[in-house]
Amino acid sequence: MLEKIEEKGMVQFLRQFDANPFLIRFDGREYPVGEGEPTFVVNFKKAIPVSSLLNSTSLALGEAYMDGDIEIEGNLYNALDHFLGQMGKFSTDTKALKKLILTSTSKKNQEKEVTSHYDIGNDFYKLWLDETMSYSCAYFRHEDDTLYQAQVNKVDYILQKLYLKEGMTLLDIGCGWGFLLMEAAKKYKVKGTGITLSHEQYKEFNRRIQEEGLQDYLNVELMDYRDLPKSGKTFDRVVSVGMVEHVGRDNYQLFIDCVSQVLKQGGLFLLHFISALKEHPGDAWIKKYIFPGGMVPSLREMLSCMAEDNFHTMDVENLRLHYNKTLLCWEKNFKDHIEEERKMFDERFLRMWDLYLSACAATFHNGIIDLHQILASKGVNNDLPMVRWY
């Protein structure tokens, strides 16, 4: 009796997501949602209590998929692409989930959160990232660009926007495995410094510096961005790609303040980040399983913080669909190497990671989130070309 009540409640809850018709199958019974031919089919092995769906729709559905209690017939991304455009209808009890959604922004906790994701293992990331080891939105100049070419394009594009000249100094905040700085050193002969909290990235970037013979041009440090001002260093250019999402809403202004303090007057700052139209606390499932403490800023928040430090915005560009394509490339690579990944992780982790990559691709495609690049100068810079030189 309880199972039938839970089944009925679950179906009733899910019927609100009717923008694109789909079919629910449960123990041989079928429940159509929406009008018309179903765009996908969801097989439930057991009902999800309505209380769980109301507490966090995202957590309830995500964990059910991870546990194998939900199976999608056909392509996971296609199903999510039709479903996640309705995330505005998701329920989240922010009071009950406060500790999960709003975590500490202390240095110690943020290092723990960052390493929990980026220190999973370089061998794992090498399986599904491209040869550049770039873990951020690529730039597909041409329809047939490979993921590798698109990542090279992205770095070239950023470096062009920074208007680099030989002998300049460049800081990369959240440098990852270092490809951007290595390209900057090789192509523009600049002196680069990268900072990261990831021990795995630090180790791999150091190895690559030695391998490429770039010791005279590059160095990498394990450092929190908050320690930059007391480092005593200043730079002609600063770039940050996919890092500010780990800072936390309370620290956006502090982050920009730190950039301002180490950037020379007239210097250029490029910020590349996942963004949202409006401010929101974030998704509970992503925060619990993928990016603890992660927070997506709105574009207006970042622009407002920059204005407080006299940053003059020169250009803003949205690369949302490029991230959709990047994630689909990653998801394909991930599936192509599933047997190797099974030797590293259990089935629940693999289902979680596949869901993460597919769901993120769908949210970018549906405009739930964007990817922005902001180019700004510290103070007025009248020496740059009057037209977009890039």
Side-chain angles (χ1 to χ4, degrees), residues 120 123-124 127 334 336-350:
I120 290 172
D123 289 344
F124 171 61
L127 288 175
F334 176 79
D336 287 346
H337 292 92
I338 196 70
E339 292 308 319
E340 293 155 274
E341 291 149 1
R342 282 201 171 104
K343 295 172 185 174
M344 301 177 176
F345 303 101
D346 62 21
E347 200 63 27
R348 192 171 192 262
F349 176 93
L350 297 177

Side-chain angles (χ1 to χ4, degrees), residues 74-200:
N75 185 279
L76 175 62
Y77 166 73
N78 287 340
L80 292 169
D81 194 34
H82 283 97
F83 187 72
L84 290 182
Q86 306 170 82
M87 284 189 79
K89 297 179 183 178
F90 277 27
S91 294
T92 306
D93 186 340
T94 49
K95 260 189 186 176
L97 298 169
K98 187 177 179 181
K99 286 186 178 178
L100 173 64
I101 292 174
L102 301 171
T103 59
S104 166
T105 57
S106 70
K107 289 181 183 178
K108 185 177 180 182
N109 190 60
Q110 288 199 326
E111 181 182 4
K112 180 183 173 185
E113 289 174 341
V114 167
T115 55
S116 74
H117 185 90
Y118 296 97
D119 286 359
I120 290 172
N122 290 335
D123 289 344
F124 171 61
Y125 284 108
K126 282 176 182 176
L127 288 175
W128 53 274
L129 296 177
D130 67 291
E131 301 94 309
T132 71
M133 290 292 282
S134 297
Y135 190 19
S136 55
C137 177
Y139 186 57
F140 294 86
R141 284 187 180 276
H142 308 103
E143 186 65 31
D144 60 350
D145 279 344
T146 63
L147 176 60
Y148 169 78
Q149 184 59 55
Q151 291 292 10
V152 171
N153 293 345
K154 182 269 297 292
V155 166
D156 282 347
Y157 197 36
I158 288 173
L159 298 180
Q160 286 174 46
K161 285 186 177 187
L162 287 170
Y163 205 66
L164 296 171
K165 303 289 184 185
E166 185 172 343
M168 280 185 174
T169 50
L170 170 63
L171 169 68
D172 187 349
I173 304 175
C175 62
W177 289 277
F179 182 69
L180 184 147
L181 283 174
M182 290 194 297
E183 289 290 281
K186 289 176 186 175
K187 293 181 178 177
Y188 296 92
K189 299 289 190 292
V190 301
K191 300 279 180 121
T193 296
I195 68 167
T196 179
L197 291 177
S198 166
H199 296 265
E200 289 287 295

Side-chain angles (χ1 to χ4, degrees), residues 6 14 20 32 56 81 124 175 283 325 332 356 365:
E6 285 189 343
L14 292 174
N20 294 294
S56 170
D81 194 34
F124 171 61
C175 62
D283 179 77
K325 191 166 181 176
K332 181 182 182 301
Y356 151 56
H365 192 243

Side-chain angles (χ1 to χ4, degrees), residues 21 75 88 186 212 245 248 302 319 332:
N75 185 279
K186 289 176 186 175
E212 298 282 346
E245 300 92 321
M302 287 294 101
L319 303 180
K332 181 182 182 301

Side-chain angles (χ1 to χ4, degrees), residues 143 224 321:
E143 186 65 31
D224 189 288
L321 289 178

